[in-house]
Amino acid sequence: MPLRRVSRGRALVLAGVILLIAACAVFMVFTLGESLGVEALLIGVVAAILPVPVLVGCFLWLDRYEPEPLKYLIFCFAWGAFVSTAASLTVNEFSAGLFEEAGLPTALTAVLVAPFIEELTKALGPILLLIFRRREISGITDALVYCGLSAVGFAMVENILYLGGYGYATGVERYGPATGTQQVIAIFIVRILLFGFAHPLFTSMTGVGLGIAARAADRRVRVLAPIAGLLLAMMLHGLWNLLPTLTQATGETLIMLYGFIGVMVPVFFGMVGLAVWLRAWEGRLTERTLPDYVRAGWLTPPEVAALSSLGRRHAARVWAKRVAGDAGLRAMRGYQYAATRLALLRDGALRGLDRRPVDRERAAREERELLESITAYRSFFVGRDPQAPAGIWDGHRYHLRFPDGSQRAVEAPDEPVVPIPVVLAPPPVLPAGYGPPGWHGPGPAAPWPPAHR
């Protein structure tokens, strides 16, 4: 995609955000180092980092159809790891002091304060993206990825405190290094292996709300959906913290067991099922929206069919590498990303997301850039397969040229062949202001049903 110049105002905002994250990172390192000691801090860091690649990989797996820019992924992770933890630690310690002065148990902080400040600050990073980079959150899947990475970053730093402080430092202070190591292992098993999904699960509720807001044209939904998701995340987090508090206060271990099995496990598997379904939905979106571009002559039916699943996309990349080498493979990856972005843009236009003239103009400009990118990527691999007849798609039928020199027009089959390397007729030249973004005027019925699989 063409690079755009960054305005001075945006550059200042970017610099401010980077300085804020850096300042919070220094604050957390200094605070943890002062309270834990260097040795306990290093042990906590090493143990807390171990599960991070697995958790990050799970969220990136959800985002394979339309991978998000690396800079925004890093931003959300760093926001959760440093800004959210710094704010939450400060508020939680202040609240604990107030509870202690009032003669109340400091354990109430985990139930009445921590869920609200932690979920709010974890969500602020993705919320800033939704406000200032709305197009980077194209649905619930994107919001889940951003919110999940923020939660993973938060959990990593919080685990440093538990593993290095409550685990190693406490054990060494009481009985020596061996006991400290044993406590680190025990906390690692319980807090990470068994309950490592907790923070990402809570914040994923906010992600659902943000994703719904990103694809909604109604202003009320855009406001209420994130609020509802955030409140649900706070309630779930508060319930999770309430279970061990009640267990410790009453001595009834069954409270924790029943709460975990009866509430958290069903919610966890329900969210996993939703995420997998949304991942497949993003692939099927191309089948529903891109046939408009098939009718207009920008795409061919097999190309749309080759985008409908990860398996077909992988087969297309293998084919592109076979006929055009590494350059063809890179071009096919870029082509698939641009086509997915085009499908999301078209779906947004049909939903009426861009109501202001400036937004419609920007959507039309982005649509043109995506179509030009698709055409450029296609030139790397289309027409290079000697095993297939040369052909042209004119928006209605194929015009194939066979090895004996004969030419014939062929109707599109009911089940598109994947992949078929055909060349497109010259793209239509659209006059300025020709219909709303993404619409190339009425045309004949799609050569194959959009929902056909």
Side-chain angles (χ1 to χ4, degrees), residues 196-389:
F197 64 88
H199 274 290
L201 178 62
F202 306 149
T203 314
S204 66
M205 304 300 165
T206 307
V208 173
L210 293 179
I212 293 174
R215 304 304 293 175
D218 192 324
R219 187 181 299 273
R220 293 167 298 181
V221 176
R222 291 184 177 184
V223 174
L224 294 178
I227 294 176
L230 182 58
L231 290 176
L232 185 58
M234 292 175 176
M235 292 169 59
L236 193 63
H237 193 162
L239 175 61
W240 177 256
N241 288 353
L242 179 62
L243 294 176
T245 303
L246 290 178
T247 300
Q248 184 176 7
T250 62
E252 295 289 341
T253 57
L254 290 179
I255 294 177
M256 187 68 187
L257 180 62
Y258 288 156
F260 177 73
I261 297 177
V263 179
M264 296 301 167
V265 171
V267 172
F268 171 75
F269 283 107
M271 184 55 64
V272 170
L274 175 63
V276 173
W277 179 84
L278 288 170
R279 185 174 184 261
W281 178 90
E282 195 168 88
R284 294 192 299 270
L285 180 66
T286 57
E287 289 186 334
R288 296 193 297 270
T289 59
L290 293 185
D292 288 336
Y293 298 96
V294 172
R295 292 198 300 267
W298 288 99
L299 299 172
T300 65
E303 288 178 312
V304 176
L307 294 166
S308 62
S309 69
L310 290 174
R312 289 182 173 185
R313 292 186 180 215
H314 175 72
R317 291 195 295 269
V318 171
W319 170 81
K321 184 174 183 179
R322 177 172 64 82
V323 301
D326 291 336
L329 174 62
R330 291 192 297 269
M332 179 60 77
R333 285 174 175 165
Y335 169 87
Q336 291 172 345
Y337 175 80
T340 304
R341 292 286 300 179
L342 182 64
L344 290 166
L345 187 68
R346 172 66 177 159
D347 180 68
L350 294 175
R351 291 172 179 267
L353 299 184
D354 300 311
R355 294 188 173 185
R356 299 183 302 172
V358 63
D359 292 332
R360 290 195 293 269
E361 291 176 4
R362 181 172 57 183
R365 182 174 63 251
E366 185 177 352
E367 179 190 46
R368 174 69 64 175
E369 292 172 353
L370 288 169
L371 289 170
E372 291 174 352
S373 297
I374 287 172
T375 301
Y377 285 132
R378 185 190 287 110
S379 65
F380 279 87
F381 48 78
V382 167
R384 298 197 179 191
D385 191 348
Q387 301 178 4

Side-chain angles (χ1 to χ4, degrees), residues 9-33:
R10 290 184 175 180
L12 291 176
V13 172
L14 177 62
V17 170
I18 293 176
L19 289 176
L20 174 63
I21 294 176
C24 291
V26 172
F27 171 78
M28 289 304 299
V29 171
F30 176 79
T31 301
L32 292 177

